[in-house]
Amino acid sequence: MPEGDTIFRAARTLHRALAGRMITAFHAELSQLAVVDRRAPIVGRSITTAEARGKHLLMTLSGDLVLRTHMRMHGSWHLYRPGERWRAPRRDARIVITTDEWIAIAFSVSDAEFLTSEALARHARLSALGPDLLADDVDLTEARRRIREAPVRHIAEALLDQRSVAGLGNVYKSEVLFECGVYPFTRVMDVPDATLDRLLARGQALIRLNVDEASGATTGRRTTGRLNPREKLWVYDRAGRPCFTCAGSISSQMETDGRRTYWCPTCQPPARR
């Protein structure tokens, strides 16, 4: 699933290309969007902004309409010049927005809807989002409070709960826990406040580093700071390989939600009770 930094960069790119431009053609394979288009045509509207809110991408159109999309596991937004060859199969195109200079295409996206500003303000999923680590005014103290109150099994699950803190995904979860030396399956109640604060601060630093254009984020997400492309991440997707810190073997475990957690048993031992 795309993480917060991926959605942030996609929104930034879409905003720079499309903001202020008029929509000259619109096509949607999703019935919920096509119905709105028939009732209140999208063609002729201008695009005001594109922004990320957690893992949601919001594109605001003139006439009090917002297109909300969520990438889920395999979705993505692409941007092309008219006539440019698409890098994904046309059969996977779910939303196509055409302007005079750019074509924005959402591939393999099923979670999408048009909202008015009023509906956006009371949207259940958006309203429930925790502090966004990419927001300028992020409140990490509130994020810690929400993690404490979340009905989750352990700290790895807590970091993924977008109702507690928005933006972190499976890659950052494993990487942040490794960098802070925290065993992923530690009960939240057994994680001290100071450690929670350290996890949140490091998560914020890593995700912001990977949306910083000067950091070379286009080369792919990296947390180690190493130049070797095979050493970009500490533990994620490295099960059975040697830890860069202790040379021990990286472990992994599949979670009930289908996502896999990675950690180093030596660098992240369970806390003694």
Side-chain angles (χ1 to χ4, degrees):
M1 179 183 291
E3 304 201 20
D5 58 336
T6 302
I7 305 304
F8 184 94
R9 289 196 301 271
R12 180 174 61 192
T13 300
L14 290 171
H15 178 81
R16 289 174 175 174
L18 303 176
R21 298 192 180 279
M22 182 178 292
I23 298 173
T24 57
F26 176 81
H27 176 75
E29 290 292 330
L30 305 175
S31 60
Q32 66 269 30
L33 301 184
V35 167
V36 174
D37 183 37
R38 287 195 295 269
R39 294 175 178 171
I42 304 303
V43 171
R45 297 174 186 262
S46 59
I47 300 168
T48 307
T49 62
E51 61 179 319
R53 192 173 300 179
K55 296 184 181 181
H56 301 258
L57 196 151
L58 307 177
M59 186 181 295
T60 303
L61 312 181
S62 60
D64 190 26
L65 205 59
V66 179
L67 173 61
R68 182 196 65 82
T69 56
H70 192 292
M71 301 302 100
R72 295 295 181 183
M73 292 299 293
H74 305 294
S76 62
W77 275 98
H78 290 203
L79 197 61
Y80 300 100
R81 294 287 189 181
E84 186 178 358
R85 183 177 179 180
W86 295 3
R87 297 186 301 276
R90 288 180 177 269
R91 65 176 179 273
D92 293 337
R94 297 293 178 266
I95 307 168
V96 182
I97 300 174
T98 303
T99 70
D100 56 346
E101 291 195 18
W102 295 99
I103 301 174
I105 307 168
F107 289 98
S108 302
V109 170
S110 59
D111 186 354
E113 62 184 330
F114 281 121
L115 301 164
T116 63
S117 55
E118 180 182 354
L120 181 68
R122 51 185 172 79
H123 193 277
R125 289 167 61 193
L126 292 172
S127 299
L129 287 175
D132 189 337
L133 292 181
L134 286 170
D136 292 334
D137 58 350
V138 59
D139 186 344
L140 297 184
T141 301
E142 171 64 10
R144 185 222 299 160
R145 183 191 69 79
R146 289 184 177 223
I147 287 176
R148 286 278 182 228
E149 296 180 355
V152 295
R153 296 166 299 156
H154 46 63
I155 187 59
E157 185 178 348
L159 292 178
L160 288 181
D161 189 341
Q162 300 299 295
R163 295 166 298 180
S164 296
V165 56
L168 294 181
N170 208 38
V171 176
Y172 284 120
K173 172 199 73 178
S174 292
E175 295 295 291
V176 168
L177 288 167
F178 172 81
E179 289 199 16
C180 294
V182 177
Y183 179 61
F185 309 109
T186 304
R187 296 183 303 173
V188 173
M189 63 182 295
D190 294 330
V191 180
D193 280 351
T195 301
L196 273 183
D197 290 343
R198 195 153 46 93
L199 287 167
L200 290 168
R202 190 54 190 155
Q204 179 189 38
L206 283 180
I207 199 168
R208 289 191 173 189
L209 175 66
N210 280 279
V211 299
D212 182 3
E213 292 170 304
S215 72
T218 54
T219 61
R221 185 180 292 121
R222 63 177 69 236
T223 58
T224 63
R226 301 186 178 202
L227 298 179
N228 188 332
R230 293 175 296 181
E231 299 179 353
K232 294 191 299 184
L233 302 174
W234 292 110
V235 293
Y236 183 80
D237 202 25
R238 298 192 63 246
R241 299 179 186 177
C243 174
F244 294 135
T245 300
C246 72
S249 180
I250 300 299
S251 294
S252 72
Q253 178 174 311
M254 186 68 75
E255 296 291 319
T256 55
D257 61 3
R259 288 181 281 196
R260 187 171 288 276
T261 296
Y262 299 85
W263 77 99
C264 173
T266 301
C267 298
Q268 299 165 263
R272 294 183 179 180
R273 297 183 184 176

